[in-house]
Amino acid sequence: MNQLPQDFAELEARITAEYATLSRRLQQTARFLLDHPQEVAFATVAKLAERAGVTPSTLIRFANSFGFKGFSDMQQLFRTRLVDELPNYAERIRAVRTATGETPDSTQLLWEFSEANREVLEALPSRIDPHELERALDVLERAEIVHVLGARRSFVVASYFAYALHHIDKRAFLIDGLGGMHGEQTKAIGSRDAMLVVSYSPYAQETRDAAAEAKERGIPMVVITDSSLSPLARLADVSLVVHEAEVKSFRGLTASLCLAQTLAIALGVRQDKANEPTQDEPQAKG
């Protein structure tokens, strides 16, 4: 049994390789899907079937033939492609409007983003392994300095985490790459320090390079990422996988920020408990 395609490139390659073996209707479907990937990312099955000149059941059968449980599972690869290839928000907005023929108003968008983020927050505690969470805290607690790295979209989470560490009196350094100096800042990490890396698909190259160098030097590393198959996860001592909300190709950061806040406050609680005087130690008199 062939492995389920993990991204659009794999799916496109599979469709191309198996095109000749498909029925006439499935070939017709394949041509439409690959010729109109932006439209496929957002339109309903009914609308896509009408545009492709096939029945909705044909679209579902096509998805099933490539190992997907349903059409929406395959459609997610088209959406992810759009996010990765159209980083400019204005381009994504135009793509969504072209594909759906809709112009959502501000209140509708607020409801959609709020609902999507609520759902991922509710699911977050059950998706994070408590044992891995404690292991991540162990790494951070032992470190003299925590060096925090996150590029592009991930920078928001990284900068917040560095800010939070300063407020619990944990020494922290934000690797911001100012002046293109990611490499130089990474080289400054000491042997008794640790690194926290935040990275999501398509995984910024500067982040991958810095993490690979830290791994080679044996620097303990905690990674917050979006998949256990992430190239950053393979480098980490502890990997925490977060699933973010996505509305019309725009991915949120709500779950990641919640996790970062949890790590910082939990680390602060540990430090406070460690600094409590034991029963044999005299309490300071005021």
Side-chain angles (χ1 to χ4, degrees), residues 27-273:
Q27 286 183 345
Q28 180 181 342
T29 302
R31 288 194 300 272
F32 174 81
L33 295 179
L34 295 186
D35 287 346
H36 305 86
Q38 291 188 13
E39 185 172 350
V40 175
F42 300 107
T44 64
V45 171
K47 183 175 181 180
L48 290 174
E50 180 182 355
R51 292 274 289 111
V54 298
T55 64
S57 62
T58 301
L59 288 178
I60 297 170
R61 185 157 52 89
F62 182 89
N64 293 157
S65 69
F66 286 92
F68 296 96
K69 293 181 180 178
F71 183 80
S72 61
D73 291 337
M74 185 181 71
Q75 188 178 38
Q76 185 59 42
L77 299 188
F78 286 81
R79 290 178 178 170
T80 301
R81 166 199 167 273
L82 187 64
V83 171
D84 293 346
E85 295 187 6
L86 296 179
N88 182 284
Y89 274 24
E91 292 177 5
R92 287 192 216 168
I93 290 170
R94 283 194 292 270
V96 172
R97 291 184 62 191
T98 299
T100 63
E102 298 177 355
T103 303
D105 62 30
S106 55
T107 302
Q108 178 185 343
L109 286 173
L110 178 59
W111 274 103
E112 289 187 34
F113 278 111
S114 297
E115 179 65 16
N117 282 289
R118 180 188 63 79
E119 290 178 357
V120 297
L121 280 178
E122 286 184 347
L124 180 62
S126 62
R127 286 177 171 164
I128 299 296
D129 185 336
H131 178 66
E132 293 301 291
L133 189 61
E134 293 302 317
R135 287 185 60 219
L137 289 168
D138 291 341
V139 171
L140 301 175
E141 185 178 26
R142 286 193 296 264
E144 286 191 358
I145 304 174
V146 177
H147 298 255
V148 189
L149 171 60
R152 305 177 198 180
R153 184 170 74 102
S154 309
F155 183 78
V156 174
V157 182
S159 60
Y160 168 77
F161 189 69
Y163 162 85
L165 291 186
H166 286 301
H167 279 269
I168 63 167
D169 296 324
K170 181 70 179 182
R171 296 177 65 191
F173 181 81
L174 177 63
I175 301 176
D176 55 14
L178 188 62
M181 295 179 65
H182 281 101
E184 288 80 358
Q185 291 176 329
T186 303
K187 285 182 173 65
I189 301 176
S191 59
R192 291 183 291 185
D193 296 344
M195 196 172 182
L196 182 131
V197 179
V198 188
S199 186
Y200 314 104
S201 177
Y203 313 112
Q205 190 60 50
E206 55 265 46
T207 301
R208 297 174 66 169
D209 292 343
E213 181 179 328
K215 176 69 174 179
E216 187 174 337
R217 292 178 52 203
I219 304 298
M221 192 186 316
V222 176
V223 167
I224 297 175
T225 190
D226 55 0
S227 170
S228 58
L229 300 176
S230 158
L232 280 303
R234 294 193 289 271
L235 299 173
D237 294 273
V238 184
S239 178
L240 302 174
V241 176
V242 175
H243 298 279
E244 287 290 0
E246 182 176 322
V247 176
K248 294 181 171 62
S249 88
F250 297 95
R251 293 177 293 189
L253 289 169
T254 304
S256 298
L257 285 167
C258 182
L259 178 59
Q261 185 176 45
T262 300
L263 284 168
I265 301 306
L267 183 59
V269 170
R270 278 193 178 199
Q271 291 183 163
D272 187 61
K273 186 176 181 180

